[in-house]
């Protein structure tokens, strides 16, 4: 417990210290192992304490935990790997994946044997061959973890890198298997017949998994109702299969991790089974097994055993492998017109090494195919390269740069009789009717049609590969209605009202990079508005998605707060739809965008619009240019709609934030929607006292948070709008 506690504490400290330097978790974890190993902790004056900490009894326990952790971690890696990605990969993925494998293996291994002639006295049998193969091949698992650390999993580069690395990794896995059989026969004096029997037994286990276990797992997955988590019995059955396959692998002369990773492959990626198992095991693996492995990795590193000559020659081999992977990735990408910075980023990602590679180094060191010196050199080199290349990748590739716009995509700057394009995000099914009411209130007609891009947001669980699915040709495949079926059915009802066209998408991605799929869809479809629901019960990760969207969106953003009162009626038509809408205008681009949205809704002859303008009593003006734009917007609105009996306009002078709150809380209770801007000037008297209080949701803004609070008497849904900023505004 002392060892595991020390690892957890030091690892968390290192990760916190290295986070500003954009270092991946791999760097902090390996540094922790080195610090607690004999090279540092056991050398600088605490040798006696170190020896007592790692005596024979503790060492035996840690050895068992190490083997156990390795098998479980590769099982989770296989569990989260979606093998169908290989067959769905494009031409570029196959070209880069194949050339990365062929070029690096074809050059690195001969080069290693050439350089190895200088190290004959420092080599053990088979060591050079093992090292060159490990350095020449790539690991899909390392690529996935690196992209997750960089929050690039569902970026363009991230999706391409995952596909390329998975293809290269599968080719490398077959090559490693064949090479391991040859190495055992030549260097470990294993009889050829024994090797053949072992390989045939492996094939038999793989056939058993593919044709018996895989169908069982598919049936098992379908037996779990949608939206439900796995039961304890599911976990028990999978665990028994895990131990059984591991035991069978050991009996045939293979390693337990061989059966573990392929068992992971047989379980369909994603929810509910793979995500449920991953969720149940995550805490156990991260809190107990991973620290055990970190201790063992660091304990075997001995810097004092490294000779300068050996280190220099090994670096020549490692550098050759890195350069081969880099060139093999960059050249095809450049030939297919990928930008220089993106192709270099792709090359660096596919060249990286990580924790899975160190696991293999440790494994071969344990079975006698690698010396302590070579193991120490390779692990430290992988650490150094990761520490150097990861910040460089982060600098070279920033997916948010493409969202910077030089033209406006807003409601205010759209022509009156033009098509409106909207991205409507769905996170919880409860928000669907509120979204449909809002879209219906925007009054699509022949002159003002609407394109709605419905995006279902799903957290990435139980798989490594993020997905963006287009449901344009969606068909129900079973009698049980899935979440996707229900969403599409609801919005098709809206489409049947006329002058509305929908496209449906689902994204499976981590919360940390979910905004990238949302913003990419908005950019590709040239939308003017992006609507995303908000719930006060959301987790911090879910709220972070909203903040990232607000920060990077290439169009205006509407945060919809539904109080669960307004419901959608299938019998309601465009002709019969009637709404009472209020716009709270306090100045600035966001208020002007909210006013433009309200004006569009008022095109409906059955919709009434009330505009309440808040004005500071002292005539506070923070920006002359913005004040003129506000005056122009209000003047145009009153000139166009002032004579309509469905439109009301009023101005209310307020002294401070407290009076603003009282005005907002006294609004009419009969509104269906209240629209307002998100951002208010921090020094404005309209919000004085409220800013200092600071107890509000940042993504709603100060005014929006008051309107969406439970203290409001009205049950109206609230739409808080932020107008898109372009380069001119930022300058």
């Amino acid at each position: 417990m002392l060892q595991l506690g020390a690892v957890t504490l030091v690892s968390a400290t290192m990760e916190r210290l290295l986070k500003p330097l954009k270092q991946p978790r791999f760097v902090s974890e390996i540094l922790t192992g080195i610090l607690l190993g004999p090279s540092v902790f056991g050398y600088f004056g605490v040798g006696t304490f170190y020896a007592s900490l790692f005596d024979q009894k503790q060492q035996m326990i840690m050895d068992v935990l190490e083997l156990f952790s390795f098998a479980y971690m590769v099982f989770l890696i296989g569990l989260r790997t979606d093998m169908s990605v290989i067959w769905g990969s494009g031409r570029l993925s196959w070209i880069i994946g194949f050339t990365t494998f062929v070029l690096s293996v074809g050059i690195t291994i001969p080069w290693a044997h050439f350089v190895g002639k200088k190290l004959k006295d420092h080599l053990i049998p088979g060591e050079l061959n093992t090292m060159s193969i490990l350095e020449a091949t790539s690991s899909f698992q390392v690529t996935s973890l690196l992209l997750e650390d960089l929050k690039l999993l569902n970026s363009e580069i991230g999706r391409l890198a995952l596909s390329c690395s998975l293809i290269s990794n599968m080719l490398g896995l077959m090559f490693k298997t064949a090479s391991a059989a040859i190495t055992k026969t030549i260097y470990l004096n294993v009889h050829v017949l024994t090797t053949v029997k072992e390989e045939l037994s492996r094939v038999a286990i793989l056939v058993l998994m593919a044709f018996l276990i895989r169908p069982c797992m598919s049936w098992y997955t379908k037996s779990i109702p949608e939206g439900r988590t796995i039961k304890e019995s599911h976990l028990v059955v999978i665990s028994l299969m895990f131990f059984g396959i591991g035991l069978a692998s050991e009996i045939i002369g293979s390693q337990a991790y061989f059966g573990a990773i392929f068992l992971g492959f047989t379980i369909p990626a994603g929810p509910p089974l793979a995500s449920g198992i991953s969720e149940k095991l995550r805490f156990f693996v991260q809190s107990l097994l991973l620290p055990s492995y970190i201790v063992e990795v660091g304990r075997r590193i001995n810097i004092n055993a490294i000779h300068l000559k050996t280190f220099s020659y090994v670096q020549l081999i490692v550098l050759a492998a890195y350069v081969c992977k880099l060139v093999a990735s960059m050249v095809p990408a450049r030939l297919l017109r990928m930008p220089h910075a993106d192709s270099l980023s792709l090359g660096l990602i596919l060249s990286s090494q990580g924790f899975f590679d160190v696991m293999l180094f440790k494994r071969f060191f344990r079975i006698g195919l690698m010396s302590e010196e070579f193991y120490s050199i390779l692990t430290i080199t992988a650490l150094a390269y990761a520490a150097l290349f990861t910040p460089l990748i982060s600098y070279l590739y920033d997916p948010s740069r493409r969202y910077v716009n030089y033209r406006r995509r807003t409601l205010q700057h759209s022509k009156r009789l033009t098509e409106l394009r909207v991205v409507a995000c769905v996170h919880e099914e409860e928000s669907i009717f509120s979204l449909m009411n809002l879209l219906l209130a925007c009054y699509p007609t022949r002159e003002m049609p609407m394109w709605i891009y419905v995006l279902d947001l799903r957290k990435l669980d139980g798989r490594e590969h993020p997905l963006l699915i287009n449901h344009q040709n969606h068909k129900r495949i079973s009698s049980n209605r899935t979440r996707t079926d229900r969403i599409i059915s609801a919005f098709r009802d809206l489409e049947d009202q006329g002058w509305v066209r929908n496209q449906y998408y689902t994204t499976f991605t981590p919360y940390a990079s979910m905004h990238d799929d949302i913003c990419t869809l908005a950019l590709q479809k040239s939308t003017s508005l992006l609507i995303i629901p908000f719930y006060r019960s959301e987790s911090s990760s879910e709220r972070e998605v909203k903040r990232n969207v607000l920060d990077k969106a290439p169009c205006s953003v509407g945060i919809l707060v539904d109080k669960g009162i307004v419901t959608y009626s299938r019998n309601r038509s465009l002709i019969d739809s009637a709404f009472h809408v209020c716009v709270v205008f306090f100045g600035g681009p966001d208020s002007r965008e909210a006013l433009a949205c309200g004006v569009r809704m008022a095109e409906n002859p059955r919709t009434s619009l009330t505009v309440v303008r808040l004005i500071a009593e002292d005539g506070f003006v923070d920006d002359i240019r913005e004040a003129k734009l506000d005056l122009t917007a209000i003047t145009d609105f009153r000139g166009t709609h002032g004579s309509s009996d469905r439109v009301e306009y009023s101005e209310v002078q307020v002294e401070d934030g407290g009076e603003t709150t009282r005005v907002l809380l006294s609004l009419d209770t009969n509104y269906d929607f209240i629209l307002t801007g998100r951002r208010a000037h921090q020094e404005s008297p309209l919000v004085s006292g409220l800013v200092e209080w600071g107890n509000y949701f940042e993504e709603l803004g100060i005014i929006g948070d008051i309107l969406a609070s439970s203290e409001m008497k009205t049950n109206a849904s609230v739409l808080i709008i932020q107008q898109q900023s372009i380069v001119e505004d930022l300058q």
Side-chain angles (χ1 to χ4, degrees), residues 698-726:
E698 179 187 349
E699 49 271 42
L700 300 182
I702 300 173
I703 303 296
D705 187 79
I706 296 173
L707 292 172
S709 69
S710 58
E711 297 178 12
M712 289 289 294
K713 298 177 182 178
T714 177
N715 293 320
S717 293
V718 182
L719 184 67
I720 298 103
I721 301 180
Q722 174 180 288
Q723 190 178 75
Q724 171 220 17
S725 298
I726 62 172

Side-chain angles (χ1 to χ4, degrees), residues 226 426 429 432 454-458 469-477 480-492 504-508:
E226 186 187 12
V426 177
E429 291 186 64
I432 292 176
V454 182
L455 181 60
D456 185 14
L457 307 177
R458 307 275 195 97
I469 304 170
N470 187 339
H471 298 289
Q472 199 56 29
N473 298 315
H474 175 77
K475 294 182 180 179
R476 287 178 59 182
I477 58 177
N480 296 324
R481 286 165 60 91
T482 64
R483 169 177 164 136
T484 300
D485 292 328
R486 293 190 292 271
I487 292 174
I488 292 178
S489 175
F491 278 95
R492 277 184 178 163
Y504 310 98
Y505 300 86
T506 297
T507 177
F508 290 89

Side-chain angles (χ1 to χ4, degrees), residues 430 433-434 437 561-568 669 671-672 713-717:
E430 290 78 7
F433 287 150
S434 181
N437 268 304
V561 182
D562 177 26
K563 296 189 176 181
I565 303 299
V566 179
T567 58
Y568 179 82
T669 60
Y671 295 124
D672 295 309
K713 298 177 182 178
T714 177
N715 293 320
S717 293

Side-chain angles (χ1 to χ4, degrees), residues 443-617:
Y443 195 56
T445 64
R446 180 192 296 270
E447 295 77 18
M448 301 185 300
M450 290 179 64
W451 264 104
I452 303 171
Y453 303 95
V454 182
L455 181 60
D456 185 14
L457 307 177
R458 307 275 195 97
K459 181 185 176 184
L460 183 69
D461 272 328
R463 66 168 75 238
E464 294 283 355
H465 208 109
L467 294 175
L468 179 63
I469 304 170
N470 187 339
H471 298 289
Q472 199 56 29
N473 298 315
H474 175 77
K475 294 182 180 179
R476 287 178 59 182
I477 58 177
S478 68
S479 57
N480 296 324
R481 286 165 60 91
T482 64
R483 169 177 164 136
T484 300
D485 292 328
R486 293 190 292 271
I487 292 174
I488 292 178
S489 175
F491 278 95
R492 277 184 178 163
D493 180 64
L494 180 63
E495 190 172 5
D496 291 340
Q497 302 290 341
W499 313 119
V500 176
R501 292 294 178 266
N502 300 328
Q503 286 188 11
Y504 310 98
Y505 300 86
T506 297
T507 177
F508 290 89
T509 182
Y511 283 137
S513 54
M514 186 174 284
H515 65 278
D516 198 47
D517 273 352
I518 300 172
C519 295
T520 298
L521 183 62
L523 182 67
Q524 291 176 347
K525 302 303 181 181
S526 301
T527 60
S528 299
L529 181 63
L530 190 162
I531 304 173
I532 185 166
F534 175 88
Y535 307 92
R536 289 184 175 271
S537 59
E538 288 178 338
S539 65
S540 58
S541 300
E542 293 170 319
R543 290 180 55 203
E544 186 67 25
V545 175
K546 275 64 168 190
R547 287 193 287 268
N548 288 334
V549 169
L550 289 166
D551 185 47
K552 297 177 171 63
C555 63
S556 295
V557 179
I559 304 293
L560 178 61
V561 182
D562 177 26
K563 296 189 176 181
I565 303 299
V566 179
T567 58
Y568 179 82
S569 172
R570 290 183 179 273
N571 298 320
R572 171 184 272 170
S573 66
L574 285 173
I575 298 175
D576 299 329
S577 59
F579 298 95
H580 193 185
V581 180
C582 175
V583 175
V584 178
F585 188 99
F586 53 85
D590 296 352
S591 285
R592 296 194 294 271
E593 190 73 358
L595 180 62
C597 185
V599 168
R600 180 181 174 104
M601 293 179 176
E603 296 286 345
N604 185 346
R606 294 176 59 83
T607 293
S608 60
L609 174 65
T610 301
V611 177
V612 179
R613 185 183 183 188
L614 303 178
I615 302 175
E617 280 188 355

Side-chain angles (χ1 to χ4, degrees), residues 259-276:
I261 193 167
F262 280 99
L263 177 62
F265 288 154
T266 64
I267 300 175
L273 189 57
S275 60

